Amino acid sequence: MTEIQYILNTFLLLYAGAMVFFMAAGFAMLESGLVRTKNTTAILTKNICLYSLACLAFFAVGYGLMYGDITDGDHAGAADFFFQVVFVATAASIISGTIAERMKFWPFMAFVGVLSAIIYPLQGNWTWGGGFLSELGFYDFAGSTIVHSVGGWAALAGVLLLGARHGKYGKNGKSNFIPPSNLPLATLGTFVLWLGWFGFNGGSQLAMATKSDVNAISTVFLNTNMAAAAGVVTAAIITQVLYKKVDLTMVLNGALAGLVSITAGPDYPTVWLAIVIGIVGSGLTMLAIPMFDKIKVDDPVGALSVHLVAGIWGTLAVGIFNPDVSFFIQLWGVGIIGAFVFVTSFVTWYIIKLAVGLRVSLEDETQGIDIAEFGQAAYTFDDYKQINSEGVR
Amino acid sequence: MTEIQYILNTFLLLYAGAMVFFMAAGFAMLESGLVRTKNTTAILTKNICLYSLACLAFFAVGYGLMYGDITDGDHAGAADFFFQVVFVATAASIISGTIAERMKFWPFMAFVGVLSAIIYPLQGNWTWGGGFLSELGFYDFAGSTIVHSVGGWAALAGVLLLGARHGKYGKNGKSNFIPPSNLPLATLGTFVLWLGWFGFNGGSQLAMATKSDVNAISTVFLNTNMAAAAGVVTAAIITQVLYKKVDLTMVLNGALAGLVSITAGPDYPTVWLAIVIGIVGSGLTMLAIPMFDKIKVDDPVGALSVHLVAGIWGTLAVGIFNPDVSFFIQLWGVGIIGAFVFVTSFVTWYIIKLAVGLRVSLEDETQGIDIAEFGQAAYTFDDYKQINSEGVR
Amino acid sequence: MTEIQYILNTFLLLYAGAMVFFMAAGFAMLESGLVRTKNTTAILTKNICLYSLACLAFFAVGYGLMYGDITDGDHAGAADFFFQVVFVATAASIISGTIAERMKFWPFMAFVGVLSAIIYPLQGNWTWGGGFLSELGFYDFAGSTIVHSVGGWAALAGVLLLGARHGKYGKNGKSNFIPPSNLPLATLGTFVLWLGWFGFNGGSQLAMATKSDVNAISTVFLNTNMAAAAGVVTAAIITQVLYKKVDLTMVLNGALAGLVSITAGPDYPTVWLAIVIGIVGSGLTMLAIPMFDKIKVDDPVGALSVHLVAGIWGTLAVGIFNPDVSFFIQLWGVGIIGAFVFVTSFVTWYIIKLAVGLRVSLEDETQGIDIAEFGQAAYTFDDYKQINSEGVR
């Protein structure tokens, strides 16, 4: 490899890593837009803290478990670590949405620490660290399974132990609609995630110093964009048909479902196939959201439907459409990673629950955890009328 | 061309394309900040859906019309398509602001489909596809005319058939001020657009693999920034002088007017000339906004003044200041593109109006189209006091 | 230098410069989220206008003072100017937060003009322009002192002449808590700044065309990220211990403190040392915020604690931990730059105060400067109930 090639490959990781970092902002905006006003400070605090803790925990422990000794030549580059660490944080970000509006802060952070230091890197090693799934030929280009469904399984384990938000499901079993508080924020978050995904998927080529590498990255950018666009239009049409109204939160989740779906293999399909993969991913997510609600798995932002369901679909789609990849190996990879992450996460959540509890008190939940746990309302728009303790407006 | 040069040129398109993609978020934030609260979900939904549909329609039909067969060697690169497609979406984004607060969703989407598949690519072919305007020497580096004024003409045709918002113009002919709902969002949108414009203009060099290319890109970045900065300061001074108060929405439009103005030729001027072009563009926009209001063309976000007026100015400015470019050819290009886009857009809007109507009912408009057409309020900040159907807060 | 190396170096400045530009959006969002609703339009207007004026003033006067004649070969590249000019704007952005909620617009702009044209470039010349501090071996990689503490000293001089917000300090000397109005915006601003900092610090390597350059940039990206992450977790722990609640605004300032701290030397430390530097910077900021409040220096956004205190710490830390750099030279650089900027800023503010006054009237301050000085409320969320002058909702 020439010096220029080394420079180009390194710069790709830095460029893409910075974009993936920005996905942390996207998750924070998306989730804070979808929860209620009274729980907004909480979700913002969780998002910036989980990103930070994930970085520290993956640096201190996780990277070594996933790729071997950090001083080792091949993987030791700071640029590579920077790119990898922002992926871990993405997996952790998925969880914060699902457990929103009722989980205590520090127990959540404890789980993020365990996920980033141990659970994520152990399963990541099986494929990206050169482990047994890699040897079997399991194909997950940028992490439909390794990042997105992993976050989904960990979130599912948590929410089963945590339970639904108070008042979400009535005594008659009816699901009460809890409206999102700030749709411009949620939309911004979706656009930021979409932007970051170019780095997430494009950077996963890991090199751009040959013509074939940079051509692959071009294909990845284009397919990523088109799968997302297809997910959006699909969601608009489905919600129009089913509910007689285009539903913006569903449309946002359609975009994300398209993105998650294409993530396992954005490099091989034609554009038309990428569009089909996005359409199916979005459609499955549109079905999964009411389905999870029906079985009373209360997921305030739809993260399970987007990251777990579309993540599985995207991984299997590689097995269906890419002739070089075995469908059964894909299924096996999805299953073994899912089983491992679900079980280890469940045990981790369970231990935390026994030790300190996961859930805020009913009183705090009713009041909103912003005031109860964080002491600050997210919005104080009535300050035109506020009088401070000195009697001064 | 060496392999490294190929890589650098391709990467430029991907880098710049991702930035231009992000302009979709900028338009969504700008427009949702400038409309009323009750029409915010609508404008957000339109923005994410128009971007997505524009991508699909331009891929399926438009690119072939503009640049010839997509499998053809020179233009077939995925990277090139990715960069081009985000431009189409920009043209479509301009329209959503002008028709905000009273147009139905699906008729708007139908127009976006026609614009992206047919109208935009046909006129784009005349210059960027090597057609007759290109042969005449018409110069539009990054699209003051081909993107921005095209969006403006299409919006103007639509708004003439659509009419003003109910209550905007009183029986005595007086224009009622309708305040924007969220200025932080509008400001954020402007900054995001400004950022994206570095990709929009910088990427339009289309290559960076020679010293002269990368020097040109540097000039483009700097001139783009300085024209915008000049537009801001101009708007601040003009509104201070005219209205005795610096008007933030005018300042934001001043930034955008500076950006649109420099877009036709950011590569040739000295920095001082770029500043002058930005000043004049901002000044014309400051005049055009009240002028459109006076003739009762109701443009809630000022998009016609920014994209159409400053777009024309910027294109003509190349003819004035660049000795290699004929003013009359510039004028001819502006005129022929304007006439073509206005007429075809008018016919398209008219057919849609006859077929399904363009406008929501007066009742829906009064209530706000968020609830009426999309079933969701954009903000639910009163949830501290909300009681759900179970009697639970 | 080969042509490819020239291209890579130039592109680095453009890439990083665009990211640093986006920090202007970050400051605007951070500050508008932390002030009261009634002063939000004002802070937004100040932020976009200060960026623009700083660009114009630095172009017209400042760059020449800092680096010599702008037509001079070595520094004349447009790409270099673009990267440098966004730094000036950062220094100016720091000030707008500290003087928020009570300073008049045009006097503020006058100061920004003087800072950008004269004060910033004169001291910048001492180190980055090859002046006497550079010759002494003063080390400030990306500007903990030259940008951040400079902004801090200028802000401190201003706030001493401006005084505290009305009602902030009671007659009994008690400090009244004034809650931030929009924490999602403030969080978004912090994430945007964090993103921009990769450009701010990474681009300060100024070259990436050798293996050692790009390796240095990788180290810079990683250390920048880890110092910020450490700052976040430190702030979460400290506020939990001190106040029994994790305080989001403190956490955001912890992130920024980590970023400011590492800025003087992100290129030399190990990751663990970068983490330590971030921890100490965040800890000092957590102490400084209540300390400034105690001595009645009213800084609505905590900018002095973040940019001045952590900026000094970061610069001294290079002297402590980098064996090639003298602690005393670092101390001397901090002191001489601080003395120069504080004195010249104080004189400038004082002249402006004498000439036209700095402060809005008590009546305007009480009403909120959005309506009084800018004529527009930042948010009009009650428009569901609005009736315009025609009696139409």
Side-chain angles (χ1 to χ4, degrees), chain B residues 74-315:
Chain B
D74 282 344
H75 289 287
D80 183 63
F81 176 78
F82 176 68
F83 185 66
Q84 302 297 340
V85 76
V86 290
F87 270 62
V88 189
T90 298
S93 289
I94 292 162
I95 305 166
S96 59
T98 299
I99 56 80
E101 305 206 279
R102 72 267 203 211
M103 189 180 278
K104 288 192 282 188
F105 177 76
W106 290 107
F108 170 71
M109 290 290 280
F111 182 81
V112 169
V114 174
L115 180 81
S116 309
I118 301 172
I119 299 173
Y120 173 88
L122 281 181
Q123 63 83 31
N125 173 267
W126 299 346
T127 311
W128 292 344
F132 75 95
L133 283 173
S134 156
E135 282 167 24
L136 284 175
F138 178 64
Y139 195 86
D140 190 5
F141 187 80
S144 282
T145 286
I146 296 167
V147 178
H148 292 279
S149 82
V150 161
W153 289 116
L156 180 62
V159 81
L160 291 180
L161 286 166
L162 179 68
R165 289 169 291 175
H166 180 62
K168 173 66 186 168
Y169 300 109
K171 278 150 203 157
N172 57 1
K174 197 175 132 287
S175 169
N176 293 306
F177 177 66
I178 296 178
S181 58
N182 194 328
L183 290 179
L185 267 190
T187 306
L188 174 64
T190 304
F191 274 118
V192 168
L193 287 168
W194 190 330
L195 175 71
W197 233 288
F198 294 123
F200 196 92
N201 286 0
S204 291
Q205 181 69 18
L206 300 178
M208 68 165 176
T210 66
K211 191 167 175 174
S212 74
D213 277 332
V214 83
N215 280 344
I217 298 171
S218 301
T219 300
V220 167
F221 267 59
L222 182 56
N223 283 343
T224 299
N225 188 61
M226 299 306 274
V232 164
V233 174
T234 302
I237 292 171
I238 288 180
T239 56
Q240 175 69 44
V241 169
L242 290 186
Y243 311 123
K244 311 297 170 216
K245 300 195 174 197
V246 176
D247 184 309
L248 177 57
T249 57
M250 286 294 208
V251 166
L252 302 180
N253 277 327
L256 298 174
L259 290 163
V260 172
S261 302
I262 199 64
T263 293
D267 55 333
Y268 72 89
T270 64
V271 176
W272 282 113
L273 182 52
I275 290 171
V276 169
I277 290 169
I279 289 171
V280 175
S282 178
L284 289 172
T285 297
M286 297 304 108
L287 296 177
I289 288 174
M291 186 273 291
F292 277 115
D293 206 32
K294 194 144 200 168
I295 60 171
K296 298 188 183 171
V297 173
D298 180 20
D299 180 4
V301 306
L304 295 175
S305 305
V306 167
H307 298 279
L308 180 54
V309 175
I312 292 173
W313 154 246
T315 311

Side-chain angles (χ1 to χ4, degrees), chain B residues 2 4-5 8 11-12 15 19 22 35-39 166-172 174 176-185 187-188 190-192 194-196 198 208-212 214-215 217-219 221-222 225-226 228-230 232-233 236-237 240 244-252 255 271-272 275 363 365-368 370-371 377-379 381, chain C residues 1 3-4 6-8 10-11 13-26 28-29 32-33 40-42 44-61 70 76-83 85-86 105-106 109 182 185 188 192 195 370-384 386 388-390 392-393:
Chain B
T2 68
I4 295 295
Q5 287 179 316
L8 291 171
F11 180 72
L12 174 69
Y15 166 72
M19 289 172 97
F22 204 42
V35 302
R36 281 170 290 182
T37 308
K38 64 182 178 182
N39 299 317
H166 180 62
K168 173 66 186 168
Y169 300 109
K171 278 150 203 157
N172 57 1
K174 197 175 132 287
N176 293 306
F177 177 66
I178 296 178
S181 58
N182 194 328
L183 290 179
L185 267 190
T187 306
L188 174 64
T190 304
F191 274 118
V192 168
W194 190 330
L195 175 71
F198 294 123
M208 68 165 176
T210 66
K211 191 167 175 174
S212 74
V214 83
N215 280 344
I217 298 171
S218 301
T219 300
F221 267 59
L222 182 56
N225 188 61
M226 299 306 274
V232 164
V233 174
I237 292 171
Q240 175 69 44
K244 311 297 170 216
K245 300 195 174 197
V246 176
D247 184 309
L248 177 57
T249 57
M250 286 294 208
V251 166
L252 302 180
V271 176
W272 282 113
I275 290 171
E363 194 190 337
E365 187 181 343
T366 306
Q367 184 192 2
D370 286 2
I371 300 295
Y379 307 99
F381 287 139
Chain C
M1 187 163 58
E3 182 169 23
I4 295 294
Y6 178 87
I7 292 163
L8 291 172
T10 304
F11 180 73
L13 294 183
L14 298 176
Y15 166 71
M19 290 173 95
V20 182
F21 157 78
F22 203 43
M23 292 174 73
M29 295 303 107
S32 65
T40 302
T41 303
L44 293 167
T45 311
K46 280 177 187 153
N47 270 279
I48 193 165
C49 288
L50 81 83
Y51 173 82
S52 301
L53 181 63
C55 287
L56 297 172
F58 190 67
F59 172 71
V61 181
I70 198 164
D80 183 65
F81 176 78
F82 176 67
F83 185 66
V85 76
V86 291
F105 177 77
W106 290 106
M109 290 290 280
N182 194 329
L185 268 190
L188 174 64
V192 169
L195 175 71
D370 286 2
I371 300 295
E373 206 183 2
F374 297 89
Q376 278 198 94
Y379 306 99
T380 53
F381 286 138
D382 53 351
D383 61 9
Y384 288 94
Q386 274 181 342
N388 74 20
S389 61
E390 303 290 318
V392 186
R393 189 169 69 167

Side-chain angles (χ1 to χ4, degrees), chain A residues 4 135 281 313:
Chain A
I4 295 294
E135 282 167 25
W313 154 246

Side-chain angles (χ1 to χ4, degrees), chain C residues 113-153:
Chain C
V114 174
L115 180 82
S116 309
I118 302 172
I119 299 174
Y120 173 88
L122 282 181
Q123 63 83 30
N125 174 268
W126 298 346
T127 310
W128 292 344
F132 77 94
L133 282 173
S134 155
E135 281 167 25
L136 284 175
F138 177 65
Y139 194 86
D140 190 5
F141 186 81
S144 282
T145 286
I146 296 167
V147 178
H148 292 279
S149 83
V150 161
W153 289 115

